[in-house]
Amino acid sequence: LVEEVPYITTPDNVTLEMLRIADVKAGDHVIDLGSGDGRIVVTAAERFGATGLGVEIVPDLVRQSIDSARRAGVADRAAFREQDIFETDLSAATVVTLYLLPEFNLRLRPSLLALKPGTRIVSHDWDMGDWPPDRTVTLDVPDKKIGREKRSRVHLWRVPAPVQGLWCAGAVPLEVQQTFQAYRAVLGAQGAGQSWAGTLDGVSLLPPAGGPPRPVLRWEADGTLVAATAAAGLAAGTRWRRSTGPRCEG
Ligand SMILES: C[S@@+](CC[C@H](N)C(=O)[O-])C[C@H]1O[C@@H](n2cnc3c(N)ncnc32)[C@H](O)[C@@H]1O
């Protein structure tokens, strides 16, 4: 059984904002889940130089999209496939775009959170429940076809790296608590340590603005955390690995 969202197109000014807010450029691969007439993927290829894939359950819309990509001269970079969005492999995406419904966003959320850290997710109108967007832009849409409000919201999320847990740089512990892109770090032994709360921007654990200087920490693809800046008595380049036990051994 395939569950469906009705077909409503994203207006052009909203499509452009979705691609801009995600900073789409050449080298990006944009996957639009429920791609309708293909406009988001075709625009990403034609105007932003990206490659893309649209997945859509209605065969006639898939055909229209393929035609539209051909007419725009981007058939080699914009592909379309008849497929259920819940069956789609998203691992090649650097950007995922959505114009669905709230409960569809929530059902996709675990797969989106499991994507490569830093992957950008953009949703037209609907949010992700208690995973707050990193940015939201509101646009006037005078000819909006649904709802009373003649406005659209565009939300952006960057998939946060999985940093929850105890990390060790030799004997120096770093305990991280994470809720989506919010984190709290405790550096050094409990009691004697320093702690701060900050925000994850994809792979970067940004310190709070203001207050004593704290390092920027970066999650790397090999699963380590590195101090990208020097601060709090740490040298830049200090590297932590996930602890295998309850404490860091020197
Ligand atoms: C609101 S429209 C958005 C179309 C396009 N992304 C846009 O923004 O203009 C949602 C689209 O998702 C498609 N769709 C709904 N449920 C789907 C599913 N389970 N798998 C694939 N496509 C689906 C619908 O046919 C429709 O074209």
Side-chain angles (χ1 to χ4, degrees):
L1 181 86
V2 173
E3 290 180 69
E4 293 190 24
V5 182
Y7 171 52
I8 302 165
T9 54
T10 293
D12 291 344
N13 64 324
V14 180
T15 299
L16 288 173
E17 184 56 37
M18 289 173 79
L19 298 170
R20 273 192 210 118
I21 200 175
D23 191 25
V24 171
K25 41 186 162 3
D28 274 317
H29 186 64
V30 178
I31 298 185
D32 187 29
L33 291 179
S35 47
D37 65 2
R39 57 184 58 211
I40 294 178
V41 170
V42 169
T43 306
E46 190 182 13
R47 307 269 301 264
F48 294 78
T51 61
L53 169 69
V55 300
E56 172 55 56
I57 209 74
V58 177
D60 192 49
L61 289 172
V62 176
R63 277 192 290 275
Q64 278 184 47
S65 303
I66 292 169
D67 278 351
S68 158
R70 202 174 292 135
R71 280 197 307 275
V74 295
D76 56 333
R77 286 184 288 122
F80 295 91
R81 183 191 294 161
E82 185 187 331
Q83 191 176 50
D84 184 359
I85 58 173
F86 296 104
E87 305 284 313
T88 302
D89 176 5
L90 299 175
S91 57
T94 59
V95 177
V96 177
T97 56
L98 312 165
Y99 184 25
L100 298 169
L101 285 171
E103 59 273 26
F104 278 68
N105 281 11
L106 284 182
R107 280 178 53 199
L108 288 167
R109 198 174 86 169
S111 325
L112 298 172
L113 278 164
L115 292 175
K116 198 163 151 291
T119 303
R120 292 94 86 200
I121 315 294
V122 183
S123 174
H124 179 181
D125 277 344
W126 309 113
D127 65 19
M128 292 279 172
D130 59 356
W131 179 15
D134 294 307
R135 262 191 81 195
T136 298
V137 169
T138 304
L139 297 165
D140 287 326
V141 181
D143 57 347
K144 185 143 179 165
K145 291 176 193 67
I146 49 157
R148 265 167 295 153
E149 216 191 17
K150 299 297 168 203
R151 285 169 160 208
S152 280
R153 261 171 276 276
V154 172
H155 303 290
L156 169 75
W157 295 261
R158 282 191 197 78
V159 172
V163 295
Q164 168 84 27
L166 175 64
W167 301 79
C168 304
V172 181
L174 175 71
E175 176 87 49
V176 182
Q177 283 170 12
Q178 177 179 19
T179 309
F180 302 112
Q181 66 274 64
Y183 77 92
R184 168 163 282 282
V186 179
L187 175 66
Q190 278 291 348
Q194 353 179 10
S195 80
W196 67 93
T199 308
L200 270 143
D201 182 9
V203 296
S204 296
L205 291 84
L206 305 177
R214 308 293 187 192
V216 173
L217 304 171
R218 193 177 60 233
W219 179 90
E220 305 220 314
D222 63 0
T224 61
L225 280 181
V226 66
T229 59
L234 288 169
T238 304
R239 192 175 294 272
W240 288 263
R241 283 161 219 290
R242 263 191 196 285
S243 176
T244 48
R247 67 182 76 81
C248 299
E249 318 285 349

